[in-house]
Amino acid sequence: MTAPETESLRPPAPAPPQRAWRTQAPIVAVVAVGGAIGATARYAASLWWPAQPGGFPWATFWTNVVGCAVIGVFMVVITDVWAAHRLVRPFFGTGVLGGFTTFSTYAVDIQKLVDGGHPRTALAYLAATLIAALTAVRLAAAATRGVVNWRQP
């Protein structure tokens, strides 16, 4: 038999798994739907602007840069301006924009360029995407904050 003092030191029992699933199911669903929308838009861009063998993958580059800029605007809007519904951020931020932007295609493009004998293009693409995407999110967030602050009385 356990002494009463030791029983009080035990952590509380975890919640039953079905309760946790019920609260997470809507989030998983909106991320999946948003991801499908974002990935479809990215795929459409790659069909519209296909990369030439050994050439700079412009569609993926601009998809990532534009997606990062939209993420910058979106995060300012939902944190500083608008009290969004709890599913908006997972749907649009994680789902749509997560499906639209792509690290995996970026990495595969770099590998294809290196394997195809175009290491300079691969390095340029690697660096340009990183710099442009980080700059886009920073500038978009700053510009959005500037507009929000300018519009406030």
Side-chain angles (χ1 to χ4, degrees), residues 46-93:
S46 72
L47 292 177
W48 179 69
W49 196 357
Q52 301 303 317
F56 197 90
W58 289 107
T60 304
F61 173 82
W62 285 113
T63 295
N64 285 332
V65 172
V66 168
C68 285
V70 174
I71 287 169
V73 171
F74 177 67
M75 292 310 294
V76 170
V77 168
I78 67 166
T79 57
D80 296 356
V81 177
W82 179 41
H85 185 276
R86 72 181 187 95
L87 296 178
V88 169
R89 187 174 180 172
F91 170 73
F92 191 72

Side-chain angles (χ1 to χ4, degrees), residues 86-129:
R86 72 181 187 95
L87 296 178
V88 169
R89 187 174 180 172
F91 170 73
F92 191 72
T94 306
V96 174
L97 294 175
F100 183 67
T101 58
T102 172
F103 180 76
S104 58
T105 303
Y106 167 65
V108 168
D109 287 344
I110 292 167
Q111 187 63 50
K112 283 181 183 177
L113 287 167
V114 170
D115 291 346
H118 305 281
R120 286 187 204 156
T121 305
L123 186 59
Y125 175 52
L126 185 140
T129 299

